[in-house]
Amino acid sequence: MAFSGACRARAAFHPKEPSMTVLDVTGARTPEAADVISGARERIDALDDRIIGLIQERMAVSAVIQDARLSSGGRRVNLSREMEILGHYSEALGKPGTSLAMTLLELCRGRI
């Protein structure tokens, strides 16, 4: 049996308090808006899972690079490369992109 989006959202929702509804959880004022919000939140959750997976993959690749650099007598971090990454994120996402890139760099190489 196929559920409409609103029914699916209500069926999947298990509130801690029985009196709470999908409208309470989404902040919507209509069932239609609650349906849109619930669907969009599911999509965001799926995107977040993909982003986390990509970050974990980036961390693994970064570890390979650091190991190769260290085993050849180099330093763990290449600051000129990090500046390129910061510039790339800043150009693509503005000032918040710089903060995001700094967080990614910290995750991938640790604090310097």
Side-chain angles (χ1 to χ4, degrees):
M1 177 175 186
F3 284 10
S4 73
C7 292
R8 185 176 53 251
R10 286 187 190 95
F13 177 67
H14 302 288
K16 292 180 182 178
E17 298 177 32
S19 62
M20 290 183 70
T21 68
V22 72
L23 297 177
D24 296 329
V25 173
T26 63
R29 299 197 179 230
T30 66
E32 294 79 15
D35 185 35
V36 170
I37 292 167
S38 294
R41 284 183 177 172
E42 288 176 15
R43 179 75 174 124
I44 285 174
D45 290 345
L47 289 168
D48 285 344
D49 288 343
R50 287 175 48 200
I51 291 167
I52 289 166
L54 289 170
I55 291 169
Q56 290 170 333
E57 183 178 349
R58 189 188 195 289
M59 291 168 69
V61 172
S62 182
V64 168
I65 292 168
Q66 289 177 46
D67 289 345
R69 193 179 295 123
L70 288 170
S71 68
S72 72
R75 294 181 174 194
R76 181 170 58 103
V77 175
N78 180 331
L79 294 178
S80 64
R81 173 64 178 149
E82 289 196 357
M83 294 305 294
E84 288 177 27
I85 293 166
L86 289 168
H88 180 71
Y89 275 77
S90 178
E91 286 176 23
L93 303 172
K95 187 175 180 180
T98 302
S99 297
L100 177 60
M102 287 298 294
T103 299
L104 285 171
L105 292 170
E106 185 175 332
L107 283 168
C108 292
R109 52 103 165 109
R111 291 184 177 262
I112 54 173

